[in-house]
Amino acid sequence: MMVQMRSALKTMVFFAVATLALVQFQGCSGGGGGGGTASTGTLKVALTDKLSDDFAEVRIKIKAVKIVPVEYDQNASDDDPLLITIPLAEPSPSFNVLDLAYVQELLGTVTLPVGTYSQVRLILEPNVNGQNPVNYVTLKSDPNTKIPLKTPSAQQSGLKVLGRFVVEPGVINAIAIDFDPNTAIVERGNTPQNEKYILKPTGIRIIQMEDVIPAYGSISGTVVSPFADWSSATVSVKRRGAINDVNPIAAGTIFSNYTSGTWQAPFAVFVPPSTATVAYKAFVAANGFQLYSSAAVSVASKATTDLGAIHLTPTP
């Protein structure tokens, strides 16, 4: 999946596309000095998060971050020397990911070979019996009680976050590990409190962007068609109002999956908040279907403008 961005909007706009519960995102970064040699690129890894319906705090303590190339064994052990390690601060950083809603927290930076990568592993520090947990949740209904967060295998092989991204040569590349606590944390019924909540990579995705963006809003939607197997579609966003883009400020390809009787793929486009004179329009193009064009919509800071289900109409 290839994403193209206008270099004039460097550090302002990024585009993320989701296939079911994970993002498969590849992008071309704009200029920027100090990004490495012709055979290497600099990768920045950040952490971000959506707001939660139920949790007041979701705390994780990250021991290490590993990067896995696409051509390498995706089930390789964590100590495999061919896995690339992102240097982290000492001692291991601890994050309440809910503090990071619509804001990125930079985890680390590394120079690595150019190419395609397909997995990021978050190695977490373990919770120790008899001690205060370092990975835990608190509920909005009881914010003072720390409930241990079970993280199966996250202390050994790591929490495996899937999604392809590209490292371009000689420039700054950036990805964000985006948590959705409403789906990443699974509640088990009829279990003791310290066994109740499990952290899974299902609700965690990789987003690649030109740089780490301090604040933004988003346009989201789900492209669907029960009529035919559409394999891919191009989603693009253009500004409308005082600025009327001929070329999109962000564009990417989404890939469908067959779910609930229809071929579908959700997406999210993250953009700077609208101004009094500039709004956004989204377009979806797929072979064999009519071009979709949304109404001009506004995007507020720290909020999502949801276009809902976008039904593709076959070309007559």
Side-chain angles (χ1 to χ4, degrees):
M1 167 183 40
M2 182 63 66
V3 173
Q4 297 177 332
M5 300 194 184
R6 308 291 290 175
S7 59
L9 293 176
K10 187 173 186 293
T11 78
M12 293 182 64
V13 179
F14 69 91
F15 182 90
V17 293
T19 302
L20 292 181
L22 61 90
V23 165
Q24 295 182 313
F25 191 92
Q26 297 177 346
C28 297
S29 294
T37 69
S39 61
T40 64
T42 298
L43 179 70
K44 293 179 179 291
V45 180
L47 191 68
T48 187
D49 186 66
K50 287 185 175 62
L51 298 175
S52 171
D53 296 332
D54 302 313
F55 301 113
E57 187 175 10
V58 176
R59 176 75 59 175
I60 59 173
K61 192 173 181 65
I62 302 176
K63 179 180 180 181
V65 178
K66 304 279 186 176
I67 308 294
V68 184
V70 67
E71 70 276 6
Y72 198 61
D73 181 5
Q74 301 301 292
N75 295 312
S77 62
D78 174 52
D79 59 359
D80 192 302
L82 293 182
L83 299 189
I84 299 167
T85 299
I86 305 291
L88 300 182
E90 293 289 347
S92 300
S94 177
F95 302 95
N96 173 20
V97 295
L98 298 187
D99 289 340
L100 307 176
Y102 299 102
V103 178
Q104 291 79 44
E105 175 74 29
L106 187 64
L107 293 179
T109 301
V110 67
T111 298
L112 70 173
V114 300
T116 302
Y117 296 81
S118 56
Q119 187 183 119
V120 175
R121 297 186 186 181
L122 301 179
I123 316 297
L124 304 184
E125 293 284 4
N127 287 335
V128 178
N129 290 334
Q131 299 181 13
N132 286 330
V134 294
N135 307 299
Y136 63 86
V137 300
T138 64
L139 304 178
K140 289 182 177 179
S141 58
D142 185 12
N144 296 318
T145 300
K146 297 179 180 178
I147 305 173
L149 187 59
K150 288 188 68 64
T151 55
S153 301
Q155 289 82 40
Q156 289 80 37
S157 60
L159 200 64
K160 298 177 181 177
V161 183
L162 306 180
R164 295 192 178 194
F165 59 94
V166 169
V167 173
E168 296 284 326
V171 297
I172 299 296
N173 303 265
I175 61 172
I177 309 302
D178 182 30
F179 276 73
D180 182 351
N182 301 309
T183 54
I185 299 175
V186 178
E187 181 180 2
R188 299 194 303 177
N190 300 320
T191 57
Q193 189 179 53
N194 63 351
E195 302 281 335
K196 195 174 186 65
Y197 293 102
I198 299 177
L199 178 62
K200 294 188 174 182
T202 308
I204 308 174
R205 59 183 186 166
I206 297 172
I207 299 173
Q208 181 168 342
M209 49 192 167
E210 283 200 38
D211 209 336
V212 178
I213 303 173
Y216 52 84
S218 70
I219 300 170
S220 65
T222 301
V223 178
V224 300
S225 176
F227 303 108
D229 171 10
W230 63 279
S231 60
S232 64
T234 298
V235 180
S236 58
V237 170
K238 298 179 181 180
R239 292 169 295 182
R240 289 294 181 261
I243 301 173
N244 290 289
D245 290 317
V246 175
N247 297 315
I249 62 170
T253 302
I254 57 176
F255 300 92
S256 68
N257 275 270
Y258 189 73
T259 307
S260 302
T262 187
W263 294 91
Q264 59 181 294
F267 68 87
V269 184
F270 296 83
V271 294
S274 300
T275 67
T277 58
V278 175
Y280 297 96
K281 292 191 75 170
F283 301 85
V284 180
N287 290 334
F289 296 89
Q290 298 179 30
L291 177 68
Y292 167 84
S293 174
S294 75
V297 296
S298 297
V299 176
S301 178
K302 300 184 180 181
T304 297
T305 299
D306 189 6
L307 301 178
I310 298 172
H311 294 272
L312 295 177
T313 303
T315 302

